[in-house]
Amino acid sequence: MSARHDHSIGTAGIFAAIGLVQGVIFLITHEMWPEPSGPEAAGVLAPAVGVAISGLCLQLTWAGDASKRWAAVALLTGSMFSALTYWVYAQLDPEGAPFAGDDSRLVSFWPATVVALYAVGPYLQIFVASGELRFPYPRLFFHAWNNALIALFGAAYCLVFSLVVWLTTGLFSMIQIRVIDDITGSPRFWWITLPVLFGLGLATGSENVRVIDSVRGALLAVLRLLLPPFVVIAAVFLLALPFTGLTTIWATGYAAPLLLSTIVVGILFLNADLDDGERSVAYGRAREMVGALTSLLLPAFAALALHSLYLRIDQHGVTPERFLGVVAGCVMS
């Protein structure tokens, strides 16, 4: 048996063990969840979030050997997100209380947590590997794309397992054997098994770097191919505005989300076109101009989105969704 195979088994075992610990904590959180939920949920949920994020950091920064820096970074990151979770949930009103139902902060908090963790992840991975506060863009680019693709391995493991469980339960139920349905129908079963399977999927993705590199390369090639049509569409749209006017845009009621979505797509295409900044891809002068034009067009869409939000706020007032749109527009400008 090769050393590489031994290493793979070790990584899978470590990731599965981390997932098992996460699953046990999730199960305890589920059993202890207060009803009705309110500020009391903060003390129950915050430790679970800390364990979940610490475990994920341990898995994504694993380099084949444990170290104090590896464990310390994971613990510190999990503790910070745990404290934020406690702070947010401690401010919630109990269910049934006057003015209860301020769910908007939760709607923004969880996506923001995912985005923040995804953004900081590559920095943590580089620091754990090198021990230096130097973050070269090629390495950030590598980890940012690979983390998303590796996470898909984890999601695929969970999805396939869920389909197998559904099929198995259905087959045995047809012959009146209900024991499997009793087991898989319990939330305890899923709280324990899914984190373990997700960890195994992360291990598979981490150990198959060549596969990840191939998938990333193919995906970036497709996105690069779509950049020129995107630029043409965006440019024609902006050039048509003086003739069509802006009234029709504001009348839609969904101008800001659509414009912001256009910016997100444009940034994705532009990032794929730039790659890691070091690859010698012979784009030529015309392709360089396409990238430069994209950078000039996207702020115009951000300005249109912000103006659309301003009009909605001026007419109907500030809502959490509009405030988040303003923040997103300012960041994308």
Side-chain angles (χ1 to χ4, degrees):
M1 185 177 294
S2 66
R4 177 178 174 80
H5 187 58
D6 290 337
H7 176 64
S8 177
I9 293 175
T11 300
I14 291 171
F15 282 29
I18 293 173
L20 180 60
V21 173
Q22 291 172 322
V24 171
I25 298 299
F26 295 161
L27 177 58
I28 294 174
T29 302
H30 172 75
E31 298 293 335
M32 296 180 60
W33 190 256
E35 293 292 346
S37 61
E40 298 81 6
V44 178
L45 184 60
V49 171
V51 171
I53 292 181
S54 293
L56 185 61
C57 287
L58 290 174
Q59 291 164 331
L60 291 180
T61 58
W62 173 252
D65 58 334
S67 66
K68 293 181 179 179
R69 184 168 62 246
W70 172 67
V73 166
L75 179 61
L76 179 60
T77 305
S79 299
M80 292 176 61
F81 281 95
S82 177
L84 284 172
T85 302
Y86 184 89
W87 179 69
V88 169
Y89 271 79
Q91 299 178 72
L92 296 179
D93 294 320
E95 293 181 4
F99 306 106
D102 186 14
D103 297 333
S104 58
R105 72 178 68 189
L106 300 184
V107 173
S108 59
F109 174 69
W110 290 114
T113 298
V114 173
V115 172
L117 187 61
Y118 176 75
V120 78
Y123 292 91
L124 299 179
Q125 290 168 300
I126 293 173
F127 174 72
V128 169
S130 66
E132 299 178 357
L133 296 176
R134 295 180 63 255
F135 307 104
Y137 178 76
R139 299 304 301 168
L140 293 173
F141 179 90
F142 170 83
H143 285 300
W145 279 96
N146 278 24
N147 288 346
L149 296 175
I150 289 173
L152 290 179
F153 271 84
Y157 266 54
C158 294
L159 177 61
V160 172
F161 178 77
S162 300
L163 292 175
V164 171
V165 169
W166 172 77
L167 178 63
T168 304
T169 302
L171 289 174
F172 281 91
S173 295
M174 287 194 299
I175 57 177
Q176 302 303 312
I177 298 178
R178 304 290 185 182
V179 62
I180 296 180
D181 188 33
D182 293 338
I183 295 174
T184 59
S186 171
R188 297 180 178 87
F189 174 80
W190 296 103
W191 283 120
I192 294 295
T193 55
L194 289 183
V196 174
L197 288 165
F198 187 75
L200 290 173
L202 294 182
T204 301
S206 300
E207 288 295 305
N208 290 273
V209 179
R210 291 184 179 180
V211 175
I212 295 293
D213 287 344
S214 299
V215 173
R216 186 184 73 247
L219 179 59
L220 292 178
V222 172
L223 295 178
R224 282 194 292 267
L225 185 65
L226 293 174
L227 179 61
F230 171 83
V231 171
V232 172
I233 294 171
V236 171
F237 173 81
L238 293 176
L239 290 174
L241 288 181
F243 303 97
T244 62
L246 299 177
T247 305
T248 54
I249 297 179
W250 313 144
T252 61
Y254 54 81
L258 186 58
L259 291 168
L260 292 176
S261 298
T262 303
I263 299 172
V264 172
V265 173
I267 292 174
L268 184 65
F269 289 164
L270 185 60
N271 181 262
D273 189 64
L274 293 174
D275 207 276
D276 62 3
E278 290 189 343
R279 297 183 184 273
S280 57
V281 181
Y283 288 151
R285 181 67 177 173
R287 195 54 182 266
E288 292 181 2
M289 292 179 63
V290 169
L293 183 59
T294 305
S295 301
L296 293 175
L297 293 177
L298 293 183
F301 281 88
L304 287 172
L306 288 173
H307 187 63
S308 174
L309 288 166
Y310 165 76
L311 292 177
R312 299 295 291 180
I313 292 173
D314 185 57
Q315 294 172 356
H316 306 288
V318 180
T319 63
E321 293 77 13
R322 290 170 191 149
F323 174 77
L324 291 175
V326 171
V327 173
C330 292
V331 171
M332 296 178 186
S333 298

